[in-house]
Amino acid sequence: MSDHHTYKKIEIVGSSKTSIEDAIENALAECAKSVRNMDWFEVVETRGHIVDGKVGHYQVTLKIGFRMSNS
């Protein structure tokens, strides 16, 4: 059995009308539906949409690292 791992990174974008944290949680939850072995994430960009001078929604770009299967 090997004691090393190989990872792959993908980039996804999540959004929320509530908060940046909620946008992250939404993105991770959606990604978890189709990606196994997720180990870490990195927020690489944060932005938002302005409606009538206020925050309409928050948007975050994440890089997600997941372990490649050994099988």
Side-chain angles (χ1 to χ4, degrees):
M1 180 174 233
S2 177
D3 61 350
H4 68 278
H5 296 96
T6 301
Y7 295 89
K8 183 169 183 167
K9 288 194 300 187
I10 58 173
E11 189 171 277
I12 63 171
V13 178
S15 65
S16 169
K17 291 184 176 185
T18 308
S19 68
I20 291 169
E21 290 83 4
D22 195 46
I24 292 169
E25 294 289 342
N26 290 342
L28 291 174
E30 193 63 31
C31 190
K33 293 177 182 178
S34 60
V35 177
R36 294 179 298 150
N37 302 323
M38 294 189 313
D39 274 355
W40 51 268
F41 73 92
E42 170 187 1
V43 177
V44 294
E45 189 173 32
T46 306
R47 63 186 162 274
H49 181 235
I50 302 169
V51 178
D52 297 326
K54 297 180 182 177
V55 175
H57 70 269
Y58 301 90
Q59 196 174 57
V60 294
T61 302
L62 303 176
K63 287 188 180 178
I64 297 179
F66 59 96
R67 273 179 286 109
M68 301 298 292
S69 176
N70 290 335
S71 54

